[in-house]
Amino acid sequence: MAEFDISSSSAPYRGRVQAQGVDISQNGGYSYPWAKQTPVTEQEGLLFLDKIQAECSKEQQKERKQAFSKAKRFVKTASEQGGVGPESQPHSFQDRKRKVHNSRVDIEIAIGRTFVPKETE
């Protein structure tokens, strides 16, 4: 997905997920931003994390194995609680025994309720 400034969008639901660290040469790490008219569902949040995880090399994935698991658990827990907003902004997710300084997975909730349960039809 092309990088854009989520703060410049007028969409009521904005944020991004990122894989970052000194082992990722792409400026800003691997990122999947969203700016939507509807809340991001749990399924979408997990898909966004899967997309940035797939961009990581095998070594980068290994370095962030726990971080991705923790981030996915955050999304699932948020959904169980009906979603979360910017006030529930999580800290970066990191592996306790990481080798690469500052390797992490971030979830940024800029505005709007996020990771809501999918509506049943």
Side-chain angles (χ1 to χ4, degrees):
M1 173 174 256
E3 186 66 27
F4 67 94
D5 182 3
I6 59 174
S7 63
S8 67
S9 172
S10 63
Y13 302 96
R14 299 188 303 263
R16 86 177 88 231
V17 295
Q18 296 176 298
Q20 295 186 310
V22 296
D23 60 334
I24 297 177
S25 60
Q26 180 171 321
N27 189 21
Y30 302 123
S31 178
Y32 194 96
W34 68 84
K36 298 179 52 171
Q37 296 299 316
T38 58
V40 171
T41 65
E42 171 189 0
Q43 292 83 358
E44 288 173 315
L46 295 173
L47 178 65
F48 298 165
L49 286 166
D50 285 344
K51 286 181 183 227
I52 63 165
Q53 188 171 9
E55 287 188 57
C56 293
S57 69
K58 295 278 189 216
E59 281 302 311
Q60 291 166 341
Q61 287 181 24
K62 184 178 176 184
E63 183 70 16
R64 292 165 182 80
K65 183 177 180 179
Q66 285 181 346
F68 275 111
S69 291
K70 290 175 185 178
K72 289 174 184 180
R73 187 169 48 244
F74 174 84
V75 170
K76 291 175 185 177
T77 301
S79 177
E80 291 168 3
Q81 298 171 357
V84 295
E87 70 282 355
S88 299
Q89 183 67 48
H91 294 288
S92 293
F93 301 98
Q94 300 177 341
D95 287 27
R96 280 185 279 154
K97 295 183 179 182
R98 66 187 185 274
K99 296 176 186 171
V100 176
H101 173 70
N102 209 21
S103 63
R104 65 191 191 275
V105 174
D106 296 330
I107 296 176
E108 178 186 348
I109 303 167
I111 190 168
R113 199 131 192 90
T114 303
F115 308 136
V116 299
K118 184 177 181 180
E119 293 292 322
T120 55
E121 299 177 46

